[in-house]
Amino acid sequence: MSSSDGSISSSPSGSTNTRLTNILSHLTSKKPRVVVCRDMGPDVMPLLRERRDIELVEWGKDNEAPPRDWVLQNVRGAAGVLIVFSEKVDAEFLEAAGPSLKVVSTMSVGYEHVQVSELAKHNVKLGYTPDVLTDAVADICVMLALMATRNAAESMWLVKQGKWPVWSPFVMCGPQTGTVRSPLSTLQRPSKTVGFLGFGRIAQATLARMIPFGVTDCIYTSNPESSSSQNKYAARDAELLKTHSPTLRSLKSVPLPVLAGQSDILFILAPGGSKTYHLINEEFLRQMKPTSVLVNGARGTLIDSDALAKALREKWIWGAGLDVIEGEPDVKEDHVLNKEPRCAILSHIGSATFETRIQMATLAVKNVLAGVFGEEMPAELNVRANA
């Protein structure tokens, strides 16, 4: 018979054959183990805890990552594992899990913490959580753009230091986010261009939010490795342009140097990984306008922090708004970007609304359960195509 903790026990009076039969029966009917590396909260954990067809192993904490040793020990024999950014899935992880592992489900849209090629090699599926965080991240991107253009970080720092500036006609002024509509203005800007490095769902949602501010033109680079400005998404772009007409006058794909040189506000919304590592470097930043701002709502690894700090310090660009930084969460007071008054930094809160995180956690749970039981996953990444 099976004890409450899942171990095998037998009656002292039972014969050897009976005990062996019981053990074999237990092994052949053993429930698939699902390891959960973070507590997903009271709205989501019951989806796992109330199941009677799985063996659930929980780290049990929501604000602390499990040690690597705990992860490697508990994934042994698991059929599914639910992770977040802190859990690195690599050859060591998969070797520890063994051949029983069917699926890894990450509560994130990004998957650079997962070695996709190793998953493909071991025929392990990967679930992720796209779409559900689109609106929340787009909101943060717009907020960061406003903070960067209007010197919010520097202004808040002055107030906290007890150095509230004396009002004067141009104190703390920054560039207008959109076009200037007042007929009395002598400095009307006829156009305002937003640029996007990466033009997926979040970028398109961000553009929609920027239109009411008077943005007139949009440029983007979807494939940074290509020097061609040929637009592969003509039908989609034509529809977007029609949707945002007449305020938005143009929408087109451009090469990376054009993106740098023409963007008044540049949003970084491309995936992380080796192909995009430090794409925003000194060479790129020197091509930007002195009145332009840079917003990163994607991954910190896309930006060379030292180069950005130099660009801000020497005023190659106006300001920056960052929700992510390379090396996070190990970002201390003495970080090079923390020393720049015109750099507004958030602690990776792009998806941090209750509604969004619950949806992400729910999707992550559904992915892991579907993968364990061989069902179609709600959001599966094709690991072979992305290896």
Side-chain angles (χ1 to χ4, degrees):
M1 60 186 295
S2 174
S3 67
S4 60
D5 64 357
S7 60
I8 304 299
S9 63
S10 59
S11 167
S13 59
S15 67
T16 301
N17 287 339
T18 301
R19 288 197 299 272
L20 287 174
T21 300
N22 287 340
I23 291 172
L24 289 172
S25 175
H26 175 81
L27 291 175
T28 56
S29 63
K30 187 177 180 181
K31 299 173 184 178
R33 177 185 297 174
V34 176
V35 179
V36 181
C37 295
R38 289 296 177 93
D39 190 315
M40 299 288 163
D43 293 290
V44 180
M45 287 307 297
L47 298 176
L48 291 165
R49 291 172 180 160
E50 294 175 3
R51 300 280 299 222
R52 295 293 175 262
D53 53 355
I54 62 172
E55 176 192 347
L56 181 62
V57 178
E58 301 179 44
W59 168 241
K61 301 176 183 179
D62 66 344
N63 60 351
E64 181 182 330
R68 180 72 169 178
D69 288 347
W70 184 94
V71 175
L72 295 180
Q73 178 181 347
N74 283 280
V75 298
R76 298 185 188 282
V81 184
L82 198 161
I83 64 170
V84 296
F85 288 116
S86 54
E87 285 70 63
K88 308 302 179 186
V89 178
D90 52 16
E92 181 187 35
F93 179 103
L94 294 168
E95 183 179 350
S100 62
L101 187 64
K102 297 180 178 180
V103 59
V104 171
S105 176
T106 180
M107 185 183 157
S108 63
V109 66
Y111 47 87
E112 58 271 18
H113 53 302
V114 177
Q115 290 185 6
V116 177
S117 59
E118 290 294 329
L119 290 185
K121 189 187 303 182
H122 289 79
N123 294 314
V124 175
K125 295 182 176 182
L126 177 62
Y128 68 136
T129 61
D131 300 335
V132 294
L133 48 66
T134 296
D135 289 329
V137 177
D139 289 345
I140 285 290
C141 286
V142 173
M143 184 177 81
L144 284 168
L146 293 172
M147 292 178 72
T149 55
R150 298 298 301 273
N151 302 323
E154 183 177 10
S155 178
M156 293 168 69
W157 181 86
L158 288 171
V159 172
K160 289 181 178 180
Q161 295 293 315
K163 299 177 180 178
W164 192 298
V166 176
W167 192 95
S168 62
F170 297 103
V171 67
M172 300 306 298
C173 284
Q176 186 87 8
T177 304
T179 55
V180 180
R181 294 189 175 93
S182 171
L184 300 177
S185 174
T186 59
L187 293 173
Q188 292 190 56
R189 294 182 176 88
S191 65
K192 200 72 170 184
T193 300
V194 291
F196 293 92
L197 178 56
F199 199 58
R201 300 179 187 90
I202 297 173
Q204 292 168 44
T206 302
L207 172 62
R209 285 158 170 76
M210 293 299 296
I211 297 298
F213 289 98
V215 166
T216 57
D217 300 276
C218 175
I219 56 177
Y220 68 87
T221 301
S222 285
N223 183 3
E225 293 184 314
S226 173
S227 59
S228 171
S229 61
Q230 181 180 2
N231 190 347
K232 297 180 180 180
Y233 305 101
R236 179 202 65 186
D237 291 354
E239 186 61 31
L240 283 171
L241 192 57
K242 180 181 177 181
T243 299
H244 299 305
S245 179
T247 305
L248 190 65
R249 302 184 307 207
S250 68
L251 171 63
K252 59 184 178 181
S253 172
V254 298
L256 208 56
V258 176
L259 184 74
Q262 293 186 6
S263 297
D264 293 303
I265 302 173
L266 177 56
F267 294 96
I268 309 302
L269 289 165
S274 58
K275 292 181 179 180
T276 57
Y277 180 75
H278 285 192
L279 263 181
I280 311 302
N281 51 25
E282 184 167 331
E283 179 185 4
F284 184 98
L285 291 162
R286 284 187 179 276
Q287 297 176 74
M288 295 182 70
K289 302 176 185 180
T291 55
S292 63
V293 301
L294 181 70
V295 174
N296 190 0
R299 292 292 178 266
T301 53
L302 276 82
I303 295 180
D304 181 336
S305 294
D306 291 326
L308 178 57
K310 185 177 181 181
L312 291 166
R313 187 167 58 251
E314 298 185 5
K315 298 184 171 29
W316 308 345
I317 66 174
W318 183 265
L322 311 175
D323 188 40
V324 288
I325 294 183
E326 184 177 10
E328 64 179 68
D330 188 24
V331 178
K332 307 302 182 186
E333 259 187 312
D334 61 351
H335 190 281
V336 64
L337 288 171
N338 269 330
K339 299 175 182 178
E340 298 304 321
R342 287 189 181 173
C343 190
I345 304 173
L346 305 178
S347 57
H348 203 153
I349 62 170
S351 64
T353 69
F354 294 118
E355 295 84 355
T356 297
R357 291 289 174 83
I358 288 172
Q359 289 183 70
M360 291 173 66
T362 300
L363 183 54
V365 167
K366 290 181 176 179
N367 279 335
V368 76
L369 290 174
V372 164
F373 291 106
E375 301 167 357
E376 183 178 354
M377 295 164 61
E380 179 184 357
L381 183 80
N382 187 330
V383 294
R384 297 197 179 280
N386 289 274

